[in-house]
Each structure stands twice: as structure tokens, then as C-alpha cells.
């Protein structure tokens, strides 16, 4: 008997499916049995039948239609089964789940209540991913409470505004667009977060950011809002690269950045953030207290002035993080479809309730936060940091790679074309809006904002790909950002609670990379490229100071040369950049495998890596035959 609890993720299974064009044909010269093996192992993708005319019941806006929508039961509720959306997966209720509701295409008429609820669900699904980067940025630069609270608000407001741009799909003329026209939301990319750590470390090292020497001789990093301004200015300049990439044919971009490259990059982004932020916060904090100094304000975590400070790694801190982690797991097991998409928020809420009862929450950030706020309440000196230009250019390349994959996933979930001119125009418009968003986000005092993939799961589970729900999502994000007290609440989340949740969040990034890698054919060439890329990426993870003394032999370099050397060091010390560069280079250099050799390898997998030279094998056999004669 099938388990109805699993029905929401597979709600498309009752629809007729069609094979995509990603199917290879075996060469005609191969034996039948090898042809069969190749066909069975060839990666394929399936998509539910697209909505033939997603705008078929879209009515033009007028006053009469608007009045009817807000004054009738059908306009508010329609025929959607809200009980299915909110029903938990309890053991005694699993066989009583209602049937999945109908699918709503991107421009179909949508009941008003469903649009509001789905919009709220979209906003909750992405909320943890939006508040985490500004909190981590503020912690890394030791910024004060009001500035940190503003950064959270600015992130939420900016994401709401720029997500509206992505959903709009503005026609620029010819075959060019701005935006995808899907429920495509944006947020601060974790790729930026990972690279910023290396940039900030270089700034503290070369004196751009202040370092305070304590009375006992130890040093601590002082507040450095200028570093954030440098990041914003450099991001503005480098965003033009992604804008330019949007006009390159998507097929060419996919050849340069195949799943082998993109999967490796995404995998390393998640892995590096777990080690540099997630687990450190879980133990008590990612600031100087993680090194457990014996004196100073960071002797205890998060500081000695906290309500209940403890040494880093204390059992109490680990327990709080574990509680939040377990809450996410239980929500996934027993939660309704609505709660499952907000499981990260559930983990934060449960952890904060227990931490507050135990006295670990400092409420000063809530009392000092303004009631109402908006963009530019706090500003940063926007300047370009030359040493960060090369790393940020690499970041924007990775953002373009992520955008292409995320747009494809959104199109698939929304049941629109996943190939052909329309699909290519969505990719072009999405990547262009991503680049424009990177420029505008800096003006909005935010790091680069790029396409988020978390919301694709919401589309599949709720069966609602309607852009009206997406616009309500943007409205909720802007509302959350304008109410300043909400940002104060987010800032008051204890580090262990945040760490337990973000460790899971960053691990989902890793699994996304693994999923992308699962699409490759795993030929000898693929394995070789992946091994070489991971050699550099994992090496950086395990030994972060690997390249710290790379250029010690360069004496008295000029200012320009020193900036170039610092740029190279930042790239090499950022795991996903180092791994991604190696993967791109080898993918372009190594020759493609002969299909016949690939078929032989598949037919005899035990001998594929035994190092035997088959030519010598045949030669020695011939010599033996001659000897017998």
C-alpha cells in the first residue's frame, strides 16, 4: 500500500510525462548488448505535460473582475483543498489525506486566499536564507547592533523588489528580455558569502580593517564597516560581467559550464560554509571566541557581556543547536506540506523558545531596533577594492551558472517549456536580471542578490506556479523588512540556534551539488576532472592557510603587483573558486572520450582502471603463439 504522506512531492506523477531531448543515441557499430547497456545508463530527465495555454483563463484586469474576486467565495477560496495543504502527517491520519488540489499555471486565475497563503509560504521558505548572510557579514566585521539590524531589513526589502523584476519578464526588444516570467526569487548567494570571508581576512591582514591589540598582547578584529562598502563597490563593477554573459547563447554557456563544473562549485560552496560559519556558530560563535582565548572579551561566547556566556563548544551550546536540528527533522516527518516548506523557520522558533526560557537571548537588539525602517537609513562608503576584483568576477561567473540551473528547475516545476527559443529567452532574461540585480543591490546596500532555488519545492508541493502568489511573496518580504522590530528579533537569535539551522541549510547546498553531479555520465574523464578539482577545493577546506606564504619570495613588490598577488591568493584560498577554475580548465583541455571506448568500459567495468595496456596484452599473446609454432 502506498504511503499518502509521500504524495505532495510526487504530485505530478498522475500527469502524462514526456521525455526531454537529453537522450543520446548509441553509435550503430556497437553490438546490441552494449547498445542496450548504454541506453539503460544514459541520463534522462522527465517533465510533466506542460500547460498548453497557461493564460487560457486569464481575464483582463478591470474593476468588475476585481470587485467579484474580493466579494465572492469563489474569488477568495476557489476549489482549492486547503485542508490538504495544512494537514499534518501524523501516523493515524496518513490514510485520510485529501487528494492533491489542481495545478495553477503561471497566469491562471488564482483564488485570493490561495495567492496570499502561497505567497506567505514562499516568503517563509526563503526567509532563513535571506537573514543568514547579513547576520554572518555583520558578525565577521564586528558591526554594532543598529547597523546589523539594518542590514537584515535592507536584505529583505531588496530581495522583495528585485524578485518582482525577475517575475515581470520585461521585453527589451528583439529576442531579449529582463526577467524569467516565473516565480523566480532572489537572495544573497552563498558563493558571495564564502568569497567575502577571504576578502575580509585579507583586509584585516593588510591593515585596511583595524586590529586591536589588548593589554595582554592578544589581538582582536575591530569593527570594519568600510570593508562592507568595498565589497559593495567591487560588486557593482563586476556585475557587468554577468550582464554580458546573458547575451551569450545558453547552449554555449552550458558547454563551458556543464554539470560537472557547476556541481563541483555548488558542492564546495556548501562544504566551506559549514566549516567557516555553520559549525562555528553551533559551538557558540564564529568570532574570535571560537579560538577559546584565555583573556579578553571573547574569552567566553559570544562575548563576556552576553546574558549567559560560556566557553566555545560547551555542552549547553551544542544542545541548543541540536534541538533546532531535531525540530527540522521532526517537521519533515510529521509536518503538513505548508510546514515542511518552512521547516527552517520551525527550527529557529523552537530553538529560540528554549533558549529564551533558559536565559540565552539578549533582547537589546529588539529594544534598540526602530519600529519602521527602509533602505539607506544606514549607508556605507562604496569604493572599489582592487584585490577583490578578480575573485568577484569569478563569483559572478558562478552566479550565472547557478542561475541557469535554477531557471531550468523553475521552468520544469512550473510546467513550461524546458527547451527551445522560449526557454532560452527565459535563461537570457534571468541571467540579465541577475546581473542588473547585482548592480542595484549594491545601491540598495546589499551584496549581490541572485536567483534562489529553494522555492521550486514550494511550487511542486503546493501545485501553484502562479505569479500572483510570487508577487504576494515579494509583498511579505518587503513588509518584513520595513518593520524594523522583526529584524531585531532575527538579530537576537542565539548563535547556537542559528548554527544548528544554518549547518543544515548549508548541507542542503552541498546535496544540491551532489544531485547536479549525479547527472554526469561518470566516465573516466569525468572522474579525473572531479578528482583534480576536489584536490584543490578540499585541500583549501582542510588547510585554509595553504597559500599564505605562496608569494613570500617576492620582495618589495609595487602597489599594483601586490594587489594582483593578493587577488590570486584570495582566489586560491576560496575553496569553490579554486575547484571551479580547475574543473573549467580541465573540461576545456582534456579530449572527449571515444564512444566505443566508453561502451567497452561499460561492458567490462572490472577492468576499467586496472592499468593494463591492452595493446601489450595482445602483443604478448601473439608472441606466445609464434613460440608454440
Amino acid at each position: 500500500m502506498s504511503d499518502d504522506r509521500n504524495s505532495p512531492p510526487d504530485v505530478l506523477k498522475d500527469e502524462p510525462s514526456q521525455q526531454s531531448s537529453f537522450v543520446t543515441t548509441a553509435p550503430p557499430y556497437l553490438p546490441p548488448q552494449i547498445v542496450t547497456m548504454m541506453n539503460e545508463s544514459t541520463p534522462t530527465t522527465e517533465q510533466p505535460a506542460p500547460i498548453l495555454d497557461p493564460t487560457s483563463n486569464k481575464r483582463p484586469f478591470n474593476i468588475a473582475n476585481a470587485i467579484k474576486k474580493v466579494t465572492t467565495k469563489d474569488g477568495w477560496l476557489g476549489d482549492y483543498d486547503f485542508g490538504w495543504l495544512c494537514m499534518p502527517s501524523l501516523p493515524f491520519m496518513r490514510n485520510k489525506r485529501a487528494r492533491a488540489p489542481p495545478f495553477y499555471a503561471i497566469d491562471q486565475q488564482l483564488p485570493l486566499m490561495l495567492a496570499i497563503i502561497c505567497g506567505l509560504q514562499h516568503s517563509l521558505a526563503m526567509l532563513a536564507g535571506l537573514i543568514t548572510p547579513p547576520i554572518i557579514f555583520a558578525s565577521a566585521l564586528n558591526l554594532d547592533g543598529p547597523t546589523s539590524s539594518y542590514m537584515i531589513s535592507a536584505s529583505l526589502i531588496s530581495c522583495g523588489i528585485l524578485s518582482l523584476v525577475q517575475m515581470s519578464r520585461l521585453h527589451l526588444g528583439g529576442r531579449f528580455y529582463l526577467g524569467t516570467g516565473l516565480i523566480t526569487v532572489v537572495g544573497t548567494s552563498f558563493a558571495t558569502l564564502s568569497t567575502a570571508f577571504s576578502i575580509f581576512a585579507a583586509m584585516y591582514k593588510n591593515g585596511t580593517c583595524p586590529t586591536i591589540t589588548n593589554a595582554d598582547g592578544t589581538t582582536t578584529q575591530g569593527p570594519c564597516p568600510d570593508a562592507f562598502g568595498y565589497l559593495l563597490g567591487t560588486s557593482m563593477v563586476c556585475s557587468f560581467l554577468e550582464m554580458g554573459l546573458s547575451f551569450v547563447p545558453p547552449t554555449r554557456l552550458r558547454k563551458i559550464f556543464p554539470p560537472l563544473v557547476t556541481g563541483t562549485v555548488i558542492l564546495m560552496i556548501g562544504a566551506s560554509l559549514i566549516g567557516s560559519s555553520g559549525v562555528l556558530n553551533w559551538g557558540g560563535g564564529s568570532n574570535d571566541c571560537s579560538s577559546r582565548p584565555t583573556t579578553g572579551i571573547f574569552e567566553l561566547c559570544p562575548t563576556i557581556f552576553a546574558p549567559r556566556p560560556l566557553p566555545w563548544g560547551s555542552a549547553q551550546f551544542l544542545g541548543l543547536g541540536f534541538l533546532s536540528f531535531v525540530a527540522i527533522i521532526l517537521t519533515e516527518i510529521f509536518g503538513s506540506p505548508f510546514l515542511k516548506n518552512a521547516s527552517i523557520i520551525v527550527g529557529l522558533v523552537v530553538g529560540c523558545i528554549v533558549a529564551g526560557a533558559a536565559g540565552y537571548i539578549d533582547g537589546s537588539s529588539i529594544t534598540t531596533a526602530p519600529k519602521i525602517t527602509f533602505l539607506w537609513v544606514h549607508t556605507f562608503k562604496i569604493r572599489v577594492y582592487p584585490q577583490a576584483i578578480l575573485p568577484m568576477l569569478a563569483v559572478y561567473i558562478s552566479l550565472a551558472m547557478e542561475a541557469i540551473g535554477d531557471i531550468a528547475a523553475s521552468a520544469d516545476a512550473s510546467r513550461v517549456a524546458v527547451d527551445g527559443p522560449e526557454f532560452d529567452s527565459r535563461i537570457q532574461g534571468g541571467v540579465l536580471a541577475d546581473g542588473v540585480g547585482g548592480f542595484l543591490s549594491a545601491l540598495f546596500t546589499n551584496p549581490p542578490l541572485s536567483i534562489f532555488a529553494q522555492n521550486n519545492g514550494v511550487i511542486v508541493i503546493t501545485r501553484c506556479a502562479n505569479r500572483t502568489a510570487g508577487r504576494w511573496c515579494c509583498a511579505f518580504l518587503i513588509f518584513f523588512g520595513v518593520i524594523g522590530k522583526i529584524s531585531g528579533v532575527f538579530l537576537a537569535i542565539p548563535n547556537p540556534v542559528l548554527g544548528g539551522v544554518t549547518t543544515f541549510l548549508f548541507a542542503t547546498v552541498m546535496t544540491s551539488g551532489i544531485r547536479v553531479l549525479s547527472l554526469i555520465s561518470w566516465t573516466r574523464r569525468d572522474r579525473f576532472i572531479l578528482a583534480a578539482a576536489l584536490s584543490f577545493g578540499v585541500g583549501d577546506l582542510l588547510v585554509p592557510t595553504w597559500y599564505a606564504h605562496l608569494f613570500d619570495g617576492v620582495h618589495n613588490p609595487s602597489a599594483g603587483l601586490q594587489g594582483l598577488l593578493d587577488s590570486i591568493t584570495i582566489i586560491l584560498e576560496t575553496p569553490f573558486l579554486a575547484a571551479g577554475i580547475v574543473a573549467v580548465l580541465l573540461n576545456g583541455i582534456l579530449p572527449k572520450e571515444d564512444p566505443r571506448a566508453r561502451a567497452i568500459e561499460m561492458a567490462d567495468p572490472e577492468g576499467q582502471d586496472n592499468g593494463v595496456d591492452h595493446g601489450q596484452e595482445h602483443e604478448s599473446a601473439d608472441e606466445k603463439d609464434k613460440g608454440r609454432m
Side-chain angles (χ1 to χ4, degrees):
M1 182 178 295
S2 63
D3 190 351
D4 290 338
R5 178 184 53 174
N6 295 329
S7 62
D10 300 321
V11 293
L12 308 181
K13 62 187 178 185
D14 57 337
E15 304 286 349
S17 61
Q18 61 182 12
Q19 294 277 341
S20 76
S21 59
F22 185 54
V23 180
T24 57
T25 303
Y29 49 76
L30 293 179
Q33 64 271 24
I34 296 182
V35 172
T36 302
M37 294 174 61
M38 289 186 66
N39 290 336
E40 290 177 352
S41 62
T42 301
T44 61
T45 58
E46 294 184 356
Q47 183 197 15
I51 301 298
L52 297 180
D53 186 4
T55 62
S56 57
N57 66 344
K58 180 183 178 183
R59 290 175 291 184
F61 176 81
N62 56 54
I63 299 299
N65 287 340
I67 293 176
K68 183 177 180 181
K69 179 173 283 291
V70 299
T71 57
T72 63
K73 179 180 178 181
D74 184 65
W76 275 94
L77 302 178
D79 58 353
Y80 194 88
D81 187 354
F82 292 92
W84 171 86
L85 185 63
C86 302
M87 189 70 68
S89 301
L90 300 178
F92 59 87
M93 300 177 65
R94 288 178 183 170
N95 294 327
K96 300 179 182 180
R97 297 287 297 277
R99 181 176 177 82
F103 182 86
Y104 287 91
I106 56 177
D107 286 318
Q108 279 185 292
Q109 283 292 311
L110 189 65
L112 188 57
M113 183 60 68
L114 179 60
I116 295 173
I117 291 178
C118 287
L120 177 62
Q121 189 169 14
H122 276 285
S123 63
L124 293 178
M126 60 191 297
L127 194 59
L130 298 185
I131 67 173
T132 298
I135 292 175
I136 295 176
F137 279 129
S139 176
L141 297 175
N142 300 291
L143 303 182
D144 56 50
T147 304
S148 304
S149 177
Y150 163 77
M151 290 171 63
I152 297 174
S153 294
S155 175
L156 294 172
I157 296 172
S158 302
C159 291
I161 295 173
L162 295 178
S163 294
L164 283 173
V165 175
Q166 278 285 9
M167 296 178 198
S168 299
R169 187 168 162 80
L170 304 175
H171 190 206
L172 303 180
R175 58 184 179 87
F176 300 115
Y177 292 83
L178 179 67
T180 63
L182 307 170
I183 301 184
T184 309
V185 294
V186 302
T188 301
S189 170
F190 292 133
T192 307
L193 194 61
S194 180
T195 307
F197 285 146
S198 299
I199 295 174
F200 294 158
M203 289 183 179
Y204 277 108
K205 183 178 179 181
N206 62 23
T208 303
C209 291
T211 301
I212 302 171
T213 302
N214 302 316
D216 59 356
T218 60
T219 60
T220 57
Q221 296 177 345
C224 191
D226 287 347
F228 195 67
Y230 275 119
L231 180 67
L232 298 181
T234 309
S235 171
M236 289 180 65
V237 173
C238 297
S239 65
F240 289 98
L241 174 62
E242 189 174 10
M243 297 182 205
L245 288 175
S246 68
F247 298 102
V248 178
T251 53
R252 185 171 300 177
L253 288 177
R254 287 194 289 267
K255 287 182 180 179
I256 301 174
F257 307 114
L260 177 61
V261 175
T262 56
T264 303
V265 169
I266 296 172
L267 173 65
M268 296 311 304
I269 289 173
S272 63
L273 288 174
I274 288 177
S276 61
S277 176
V279 173
L280 291 180
N281 279 316
W282 193 336
S286 58
N287 54 15
D288 290 342
C289 76
S290 61
S291 60
R292 297 187 66 133
T294 56
T295 58
I297 65 171
F298 294 112
E299 181 181 358
L300 301 175
C301 287
T303 68
I304 59 175
F305 305 112
R308 291 193 63 179
L310 294 169
W312 188 88
S314 297
Q316 295 91 326
F317 286 159
L318 299 180
L320 281 175
F322 184 73
L323 177 65
S324 300
F325 200 96
V326 170
I328 296 174
I329 296 175
L330 294 178
T331 303
E332 182 65 25
I333 297 174
F334 300 112
S336 65
F338 184 92
L339 280 182
K340 286 181 179 180
N341 285 299
S343 60
I344 300 295
I345 298 298
V346 173
L348 287 175
V349 171
V350 171
C352 286
I353 290 174
V354 176
Y360 287 96
I361 292 183
D362 180 5
S364 60
S365 63
I366 303 175
T367 57
T368 58
K371 295 180 180 178
I372 302 294
T373 188
F374 200 70
L375 301 174
W376 308 296
V377 171
H378 288 268
T379 57
F380 303 90
K381 296 179 181 178
I382 294 182
R383 291 174 286 181
V384 176
Y385 188 63
Q387 293 91 321
I389 291 178
L390 287 180
M392 287 305 298
L393 287 175
V395 166
Y396 272 104
I397 293 175
S398 71
L399 294 184
M401 291 189 293
E402 290 182 33
I404 293 173
D406 292 343
I407 294 168
S410 296
D412 183 64
S414 301
R415 304 195 192 182
V416 297
V418 292
D419 53 19
E422 178 188 341
F423 176 66
D424 289 345
S425 70
R426 293 190 189 278
I427 288 183
Q428 176 274 315
V431 175
L432 178 59
D434 225 38
V436 173
F439 184 89
L440 294 178
S441 63
L443 296 180
F444 294 164
T445 63
N446 274 284
L449 299 177
S450 60
I451 296 175
F452 255 30
Q454 288 93 325
N455 296 67
N456 294 328
V458 180
I459 295 174
V460 172
I461 288 182
T462 62
R463 300 172 66 89
C464 179
N466 194 277
R467 289 191 293 178
T468 303
R471 296 184 184 104
W472 275 102
C473 166
C474 298
F476 278 115
L477 292 178
I478 296 173
F479 173 77
F480 293 154
V482 169
I483 305 302
K485 292 296 183 182
I486 294 179
S487 297
V489 171
F490 291 144
L491 196 60
I493 298 174
N495 285 337
V497 175
L498 184 67
V501 167
T502 55
T503 297
F504 177 84
L505 189 63
F506 298 149
T508 62
V509 177
M510 285 187 64
T511 56
S512 297
I514 295 173
R515 181 182 180 279
V516 173
L517 288 174
S518 69
L519 300 176
I520 66 177
S521 301
W522 292 104
T523 63
R524 178 183 178 86
R525 178 180 182 274
D526 292 342
R527 297 194 302 272
F528 183 89
I529 294 175
L530 182 60
L534 293 181
S535 298
F536 286 85
V538 177
D540 274 345
L541 282 177
L542 300 181
V543 187
T545 58
W546 190 8
Y547 299 103
H549 306 287
L550 178 62
F551 298 113
D552 284 356
V554 180
H555 302 291
N556 301 320
S558 63
L561 178 59
Q562 185 61 53
L564 176 62
L565 299 182
D566 289 344
S567 296
I568 296 174
T569 302
I570 292 172
I571 292 175
L572 294 177
E573 289 184 345
T574 305
F576 86 90
L577 292 181
I581 290 174
V582 172
V584 169
L585 291 177
L586 291 181
N587 183 64
I589 294 173
L590 293 181
K592 303 290 184 180
E593 289 192 350
D594 185 347
R596 287 174 293 185
R598 169 61 178 159
I600 293 174
E601 178 183 336
M602 294 170 61
D604 184 22
E606 295 182 357
Q608 61 189 5
D609 287 319
N610 57 12
V612 177
D613 188 327
H614 296 286
Q616 291 181 0
E617 224 176 329
H618 294 309
E619 185 179 12
S620 60
D622 291 341
E623 290 178 354
K624 290 179 181 179
D625 291 339
K626 291 179 180 179
R628 292 192 186 100
M629 295 175 64

